[in-house]
Amino acid sequence: LMPPGTVNDELQTYTNSTENILLNNGSLYIRAKKDNPFDPNQPGYTSGRINTAGKVELQYGYWEIRAKLPRGTGTWPAIWMLNSEIFTVGWPYCGEIDIMEHVGYDPDRVFFSIHNTNSYGNVGGTDQQGTYYLSGVEDDFHTYAIEWGPTYIYGYIDGVQYFNYNKPAGGDYDDWPYDNPFFLIINLAIGGEWGGQQGVDNSIFPASFIVDYVRMFTKI
């Protein structure tokens, strides 16, 4: 369980309840709900967050996730990766790769970002973030993917590459902490420093982030 404000001033409490994480017709539903009873003066929300730390960790390869994003102002779904060294060296030194981030108040854009010691947090406008414009991205399932090797990280949506980052010449761990196994996280945040910039529309709940599949491939 993770209480509100643990990360990025987000509003949700993450739970392991089947109200928030469930399988339905072969898909994984990560669902955000309002507390019941709900007090609009002190709003409370629950949601789901899963990760593969200690279970499935992979260095390099091609990772693809087919998912349908939730709709509504205040949602902040993400598909992302953390270096397994986070538990010993901490963040941001460990490095982070965001395969997909989306905020509900900005519905037609999807972001791919990487973070490291030299540049982390808001990396918008730098070569560490790619932006993909797609009208109606919340209406259908799409594939979000990373191709990752010793000298490059590429980001894709529906097979279209929109992010390209190459290991800097002479780069060290501070700008390339990506030569290590990473684990995957999929979550649906509510509000927070980015997702909550235009408030939360309380009419959208329950809101579901639906995952059809997650596939990981290694090169042979």
Side-chain angles (χ1 to χ4, degrees):
L1 301 179
M2 294 175 62
T6 303
V7 180
N8 300 321
D9 290 331
E10 295 161 7
L11 302 176
Q12 78 288 331
T13 297
Y14 285 125
T15 84
N16 57 9
S17 167
T18 54
E19 292 288 309
N20 299 115
I21 303 175
L22 64 151
L23 291 174
N24 184 26
N25 293 324
S27 294
L28 171 68
Y29 279 64
I30 298 178
R31 189 164 62 183
K33 300 185 68 178
K34 294 189 294 187
D35 284 352
N36 186 15
F38 183 75
D39 180 356
N41 296 313
Q42 291 184 302
Y45 311 90
T46 57
S47 189
R49 181 182 194 266
I50 65 170
N51 75 71
T52 68
K55 306 178 188 77
V56 179
E57 299 178 355
L58 189 65
Q59 181 174 334
Y60 311 140
Y62 177 79
W63 306 28
E64 181 179 273
I65 299 91
R66 183 173 186 264
K68 183 177 180 182
L69 305 183
R71 180 189 305 277
T73 298
T75 58
W76 182 2
I79 302 167
W80 51 300
M81 304 154 62
L82 284 173
N83 189 331
S84 60
E85 291 188 340
I86 186 172
F87 303 109
T88 54
V89 303
W91 189 93
Y93 189 71
C94 64
E96 173 183 326
I97 303 172
D98 302 320
I99 299 172
M100 189 289 304
E101 284 187 285
H102 178 267
V103 290
Y105 71 81
D106 187 9
D108 297 332
R109 294 198 295 173
V110 170
F111 301 87
F112 188 112
S113 311
I114 63 173
H115 304 266
N116 50 55
T117 302
N118 282 346
S119 185
Y120 59 91
N122 183 2
V123 293
T126 75
D127 61 354
Q128 290 186 200
Q129 185 175 85
T131 305
Y132 192 90
Y133 296 84
L134 179 62
S135 180
V137 69
E138 302 156 324
D139 295 335
D140 301 292
F141 283 87
H142 297 276
T143 58
Y144 304 96
I146 176 176
E147 185 180 354
W148 166 35
T151 59
Y152 60 86
I153 295 173
Y154 304 149
Y156 301 85
I157 182 169
D158 295 333
V160 176
Q161 183 180 339
Y162 72 103
F163 179 81
N164 176 18
Y165 187 84
N166 294 299
K167 183 177 182 178
D172 60 15
Y173 193 93
D174 283 352
D175 53 22
W176 187 266
Y178 310 112
D179 294 326
N180 209 62
F182 275 57
F183 58 88
L184 185 71
I185 303 169
I186 303 176
N187 68 280
L188 173 51
I190 299 300
E193 294 169 359
W194 188 7
Q197 287 185 10
Q198 295 189 18
V200 177
D201 177 358
N202 286 313
S203 72
I204 65 175
F205 298 98
S208 292
F209 184 13
I210 308 170
V211 180
D212 179 28
Y213 64 71
V214 176
R215 297 172 180 167
M216 298 180 180
F217 303 85
T218 56
K219 281 191 173 183
I220 57 172

